[in-house]
Amino acid sequence: MNSDRMKSTIAGLALLAMFVGIFLLISREADSASVAEGKFRVTVDDVTSGGDYFVRRLKFRVNRASGIRLRLGDAGESWMSLRDRPTREDGIVEANVVLMCDMGHALEGDQRWVTWLQQITCAQGMAGGPSRYPVPSDTKMENLVTLNITEGEYNVGHPLTLGQFQNEPIVVTVER
């Protein structure tokens, strides 16, 4: 290999290594972004959706909290302790809230059924589960569920309204 070609190859490899290094550094910083004490961070993942169904996963990063409470109006509540859960090196606990809605037609008649799932998951644990509700056959998803989840950082101890299901508020609270 001649010396000019070798210099060009080394320069190209060095440039590639620099881009890979910057990418890894940025990725690690984004993944390990710290959460201030007394705060929690929410990110939203639209897992899948269609005309009669959707699945949303809310990823929570929490710094020093006792638990997560998920409430659907007066219809139901789930709670999960965050104490004694595995944490990352920086003490952050990661948990997920999964919201799922699926509307199906009954085999007979004009009625439709809605399956609603609200679930909290964390390393070594899960709380919540599905419920089933009858709805009129002409029910549209947009009239049944509204979600207005905004990604960001919030205060521990303050309820966060995620939206509504059948005109009942969906509220999550990360508790102190």
Side-chain angles (χ1 to χ4, degrees):
M1 187 186 282
N2 70 26
S3 107
D4 288 337
R5 189 170 178 191
M6 185 178 223
K7 287 179 187 176
S8 175
T9 302
I10 290 173
L13 289 174
L15 188 61
L16 178 63
M18 183 180 74
F19 282 124
V20 168
I22 290 171
F23 173 76
L24 291 175
L25 181 64
I26 290 170
S27 296
R28 192 172 340 139
E29 285 177 6
D31 184 52
S32 66
S34 65
V35 179
E37 191 167 335
K39 301 278 188 179
F40 66 94
R41 178 167 295 134
V42 178
T43 57
V44 180
D45 182 13
D46 184 6
V47 177
T48 187
S49 60
D52 287 344
Y53 66 92
F54 72 83
V55 179
R56 298 271 183 335
R57 180 178 57 201
L58 287 65
K59 298 176 186 179
F60 285 73
R61 289 187 147 156
V62 181
N63 188 347
R64 298 198 184 182
S66 64
I68 293 181
R69 184 172 309 277
L70 181 61
R71 179 186 302 268
L72 174 60
D74 294 329
E77 178 177 283
S78 305
W79 185 83
M80 174 174 276
S81 173
L82 296 180
R83 295 185 190 272
D84 302 322
R85 298 288 178 193
T87 61
R88 298 177 346 162
E89 293 173 8
D90 57 2
I92 301 295
V93 175
E94 295 178 338
N96 293 306
V97 168
V98 176
L99 302 174
M100 183 210 72
C101 189
D102 181 33
M103 281 199 303
H105 291 280
L107 294 176
E108 296 178 10
D110 292 337
Q111 192 135 9
R112 293 184 87 178
W113 289 91
V114 174
T115 302
W116 171 256
L117 171 77
Q118 61 182 42
Q119 190 172 63
I120 306 168
T121 61
C122 187
Q124 303 172 345
M126 177 184 76
S131 300
R132 197 161 179 215
Y133 303 93
V135 295
S137 63
D138 61 347
T139 300
K140 303 281 186 226
M141 184 67 79
E142 60 268 12
N143 298 330
L144 184 65
V145 181
T146 57
L147 296 177
N148 49 1
I149 306 160
T150 304
E151 293 187 351
E153 196 167 278
Y154 299 92
N155 293 322
V156 170
H158 290 87
L160 175 62
T161 301
L162 305 176
Q164 291 189 335
F165 174 72
Q166 291 190 333
N167 298 316
E168 294 287 335
I170 307 162
V171 179
V172 67
T173 307
V174 176
E175 300 176 344
R176 294 188 190 280

